[in-house]
Amino acid sequence: MTELRPDLALIAQNVAKGTRVLDVGCGDGTLLQVLRDERQCQVNGMEIDPGDVAECVGKGLSVIQGDADKDLAFYPDGAFDYAILSQTLQTTMRPDQVMEELLRIGRKAFVSFPNFAHWRVRLSLLWGGRMPVTRLLPVAWYETPNIHHLTVSDFRAFVEERGIKVEEAWYLSGDRLRGTSVANFRAEHAIFLLSRS
Amino acid sequence: MATAAVIAASEVLELTEPLPLDCGQQLEGVRIAYEAYGRLSPARDNVVLIQHATTGDQHVASPHPKTGKPGWWDRMVGPGKPIDTDRFFVLCANVLGSCMGSTGPGSLAPDGKPYAMRFPVITIRDMVRAQVALLDTLGIDKLYCVVGGSMGGMQSLSLAANWPHLPERIMVIAATATMPAQNIAFQEVGRQAITADPNWQQGAYYGTGKAPDAGLAVARMAAHITYLSEASLTEKFGRRLQDRASKTFGFDADFQVESYLRHQGASFTNRFDANSYLYITRAMSYFDLAEEHGGLLADAFRASDARFCVISFDTDWLYPTELSRKLVHALNASGAQVSFVELSAPFGHDSFLLEVPALDRVIAGFLSR
């Protein structure tokens, strides 16, 4: 079995078998392969990097080279049971609009992102006075693709404001789960399963 | 390792039934020249149909009989190549209306004289209908994949839309589902160059000892520019002069690029029929798959459960990526399984025929499972 990143493994475990899935920002298609081969899903991907798309096509996956900010608009409503956006939200131009699109084309959406309020990030900013460079955010401010940093608390506030229902949430530090109450401080990244309530 | 594809057949098939056409007429005694490579599996489930571009032909991976040059996709088709003839039975037919053995305006009509302009105006769908008749005759009712670049890609889409039971995979390279105005415009320039040549003789030049070679050469020169990119022209020729130290203050081919184009135009007339050029470009101008399906492109693919792979090139300004994206969006809307990638290559529209390793990988990958 393919070795999955902890957040992807968590998503894979929680996708119902035999469903239709779109992975937005699917990279080399690792998650899609697992969902296809181990959970019998009908899988589709979107990826901005042409090299990754070519690799996906070589794995027999249906993947479109496209941009989450622009190209989700062309999928019909409810085309998928799940739309997945893993570690990509913070790289989009308009995360709010991308979220709306995810929940329009997917009946449910998995969204995962690095938590900017993790204690290491806080310490780095507090004591160093510099934009944090950490394991999950390894790139300096001027070349990071992460243009919209957010925290677990930001995201919770956002979904509440938009009337989006949180079906489930997981908070990870490394590959260890953290509790909800300490998540904004202890979690390196968060995974939400959302739906339109 | 042998790299030449083994030809299984190079034949001309004559259809026993008349071929109905979109214009309402039908053609009797249609001949289809085709080549086949590799071996048909006992289950007949390993057929890859390749559809050729405007002035292409069935000689995909065998030397062209007139020019002696290697087949036009020799680099892609053969043992161990991306379209692997050790695994697939590869078929390619010369399109209806062409001049390499399939019935076209230069062929003899039932009255024993060349059709010339009596040949009916054909469509991309008519070309595909002829190929489907060929498949029927060969006893092939399933295509592992259909692959087409440029006008070949339009045929692939037409096949997917009109004979959805046939292809399991459809690969469309540097093509479009609807011919845009700019391309219609370029094609009209080519046709006008031909018909303005006094040797065209209203198309009835066969047997007169004169053919509209000058007009056909100009048509080819204009079209050839659209197949390249500014970057590739600049790199290949720049402003360099042709075998001379300075400009001649005349109208010879002073520049290398002029000399190259003149050569391209002249050599084209040795292998292609001017009337075929008229008919084939007309068919392309007419191509609008959305129009054929009530104006909604997505509806063209509703009956298909095939997997699609759409490829464009970033320097192709004749069939730019935007056209492929429109197609992909329609495929998405129809619920089809579709992959799409825009590859980076410097050669413009012709990239699909040239050395682009990323294209090899995508094609091999798409065919792999």
Side-chain angles (χ1 to χ4, degrees):
Chain A
M1 138 153 199
T2 321
E3 191 62 39
L4 280 183
R5 224 168 57 198
D7 58 323
L8 296 184
L10 226 153
I11 291 171
Q13 285 157 26
N14 287 281
V15 166
K17 284 195 172 184
T19 50
R20 296 166 301 158
V21 179
L22 175 70
D23 186 0
V24 181
C26 64
D28 65 3
T30 309
L31 174 62
L32 289 177
Q33 259 186 309
V34 170
L35 291 174
R36 177 188 67 189
D37 299 340
E38 291 167 30
R39 303 197 72 80
Q40 295 77 47
C41 293
Q42 187 188 319
V43 296
N44 291 76
M46 180 182 283
E47 171 56 45
I48 204 161
D49 179 82
D52 278 340
V53 177
E55 198 170 337
C56 289
V57 172
K59 293 172 178 170
L61 297 166
S62 293
V63 172
I64 286 170
Q65 187 183 351
D67 182 340
D69 276 304
K70 289 187 294 202
D71 295 309
L72 292 175
F74 298 98
Y75 288 97
D77 295 357
F80 300 96
D81 296 307
Y82 299 97
I84 299 172
L85 187 73
S86 64
Q87 308 287 335
T88 301
L89 186 66
Q90 75 283 357
T91 70
T92 61
M93 291 294 292
R94 288 297 303 267
D96 54 338
Q97 291 172 3
V98 171
M99 288 283 300
E100 297 291 345
E101 285 293 82
L102 285 181
L103 287 163
R104 180 184 64 78
I105 63 181
R107 290 195 305 110
K108 294 183 181 181
F110 280 101
V111 176
S112 80
F113 56 87
N115 173 28
F116 205 67
H118 182 249
W119 62 268
R120 276 188 213 281
V121 177
R122 294 190 196 205
L123 278 186
S124 167
L125 196 55
L126 182 63
W127 298 115
R130 306 273 306 267
M131 280 301 277
V133 175
T134 65
R135 192 166 61 86
L136 281 178
L137 303 167
V139 182
W141 64 273
Y142 48 85
E143 56 181 359
T144 179
N146 302 321
I147 54 174
H148 282 113
H149 285 299
L150 72 160
T151 70
V152 168
S153 296
D154 285 329
F155 193 79
R156 286 174 178 154
F158 172 80
V159 293
E160 193 180 334
E161 200 177 287
R162 296 285 172 126
I164 297 166
K165 185 178 170 198
V166 176
E167 303 253 336
E168 257 185 288
W170 301 265
Y171 307 100
L172 284 168
S173 177
D175 55 1
R176 291 176 59 197
L177 281 169
R178 301 288 177 185
T180 305
S181 56
V182 296
N184 201 41
F185 191 73
R186 301 280 304 269
E188 283 178 301
H189 53 233
I191 303 139
F192 285 81
L193 176 58
L194 308 164
S195 67
R196 275 261 163 246
S197 41
Chain B
M1 188 187 82
T3 51
V6 179
I7 291 199
S10 180
E11 311 212 4
V12 181
L13 175 90
E14 187 167 333
L15 298 182
T16 51
E17 299 287 316
L19 186 74
L21 302 174
D22 281 349
C23 67
Q25 299 181 41
Q26 54 182 26
L27 271 177
E28 306 275 345
V30 167
R31 291 156 65 87
I32 303 167
Y34 68 96
E35 282 194 353
Y37 308 84
R39 279 167 57 179
L40 183 60
S41 65
R44 296 173 177 258
D45 60 356
N46 68 333
V47 181
V48 173
L49 176 67
I50 295 177
Q51 293 165 314
H52 69 71
T54 315
T55 62
D57 48 55
Q58 68 275 31
H59 306 289
V60 181
S62 70
H64 192 281
K66 289 186 184 163
T67 66
K69 287 185 180 163
W72 58 269
W73 231 9
D74 200 54
R75 58 180 310 278
M76 197 64 77
V77 179
K81 293 182 184 177
I83 301 176
D84 189 349
T85 51
D86 287 338
R87 178 176 173 203
F88 297 114
F89 182 64
V90 178
L91 271 175
C92 183
N94 187 216
V95 296
L96 186 69
S98 188
C99 51
M100 289 300 293
S102 290
T103 298
S107 307
L108 299 182
D111 65 1
K113 296 180 190 142
Y115 280 105
M117 301 314 281
R118 297 181 298 157
F119 195 72
V121 168
I122 53 164
T123 64
I124 296 290
R125 181 159 55 185
D126 291 332
M127 295 175 184
V128 179
R129 195 174 284 119
Q131 292 163 25
V132 171
L134 168 69
L135 296 175
D136 284 345
T137 309
L138 297 177
I140 292 165
D141 58 7
K142 208 60 169 168
L143 296 171
Y144 183 87
C145 187
V146 56
V147 187
S150 194
M151 185 184 83
M154 296 169 213
Q155 295 168 62
S156 304
L157 289 170
S158 180
L159 180 77
N162 295 293
W163 290 271
H165 60 284
L166 275 174
E168 294 170 326
R169 292 167 192 75
I170 295 139
M171 180 146 21
V172 179
I173 309 169
T176 178
T178 297
M179 188 57 81
Q182 177 175 265
N183 302 44
I184 296 175
F186 276 118
Q187 288 164 352
E188 176 63 2
V189 170
R191 286 191 296 268
Q192 287 295 322
I194 291 167
T195 57
D197 185 331
N199 286 343
W200 181 59
Q201 306 168 68
Q202 307 306 310
Y205 52 83
Y206 303 109
T208 66
K210 289 182 289 186
D213 287 347
L216 181 60
V218 171
R220 179 61 169 182
M221 288 165 75
H224 197 79
I225 299 166
T226 69
Y227 301 153
L228 307 175
S229 68
E230 193 192 349
S232 63
L233 279 177
T234 300
E235 194 198 313
K236 208 165 176 180
F237 308 109
R239 291 184 49 82
R240 285 189 292 281
L241 299 179
Q242 178 69 27
D243 301 332
R244 62 201 68 189
S246 58
K247 294 165 199 151
T248 62
F249 291 90
F251 293 96
D252 271 354
D254 273 359
F255 291 99
Q256 284 183 5
V257 66
E258 294 170 340
S259 171
Y260 168 79
L261 275 183
R262 288 183 188 196
H263 171 75
Q264 289 296 324
S267 58
F268 183 61
T269 63
N270 294 329
R271 71 171 178 91
F272 214 80
D273 178 52
N275 283 342
S276 282
Y277 197 83
L278 298 182
Y279 278 91
I280 292 175
T281 57
R282 198 78 195 120
M284 291 169 76
S285 302
Y286 278 0
F287 185 62
D288 184 350
L289 202 53
E291 184 188 66
E292 286 176 24
H293 291 84
L296 196 59
L297 185 56
D299 284 346
F301 307 112
R302 299 245 185 250
S304 175
D305 57 2
R307 284 171 49 209
F308 290 77
C309 182
V310 179
I311 302 168
S312 69
F313 297 97
D314 58 356
T315 55
D316 183 353
W317 55 276
L318 189 60
Y319 295 90
T321 292
E322 215 36 57
L323 297 174
S324 288
R325 273 201 193 282
K326 270 188 199 162
L327 167 62
V328 168
H329 294 150
L331 285 164
N332 273 340
S334 76
Q337 289 289 306
V338 54
S339 291
F340 162 68
V341 63
E342 179 193 55
L343 298 176
S344 188
F347 315 113
H349 181 58
D350 265 353
S351 294
F352 79 98
L353 298 168
L354 300 171
E355 180 81 32
V356 181
L359 177 65
D360 299 5
R361 279 196 297 278
V362 174
I363 290 180
F366 186 64
L367 292 177
S368 66
R369 57 176 286 168

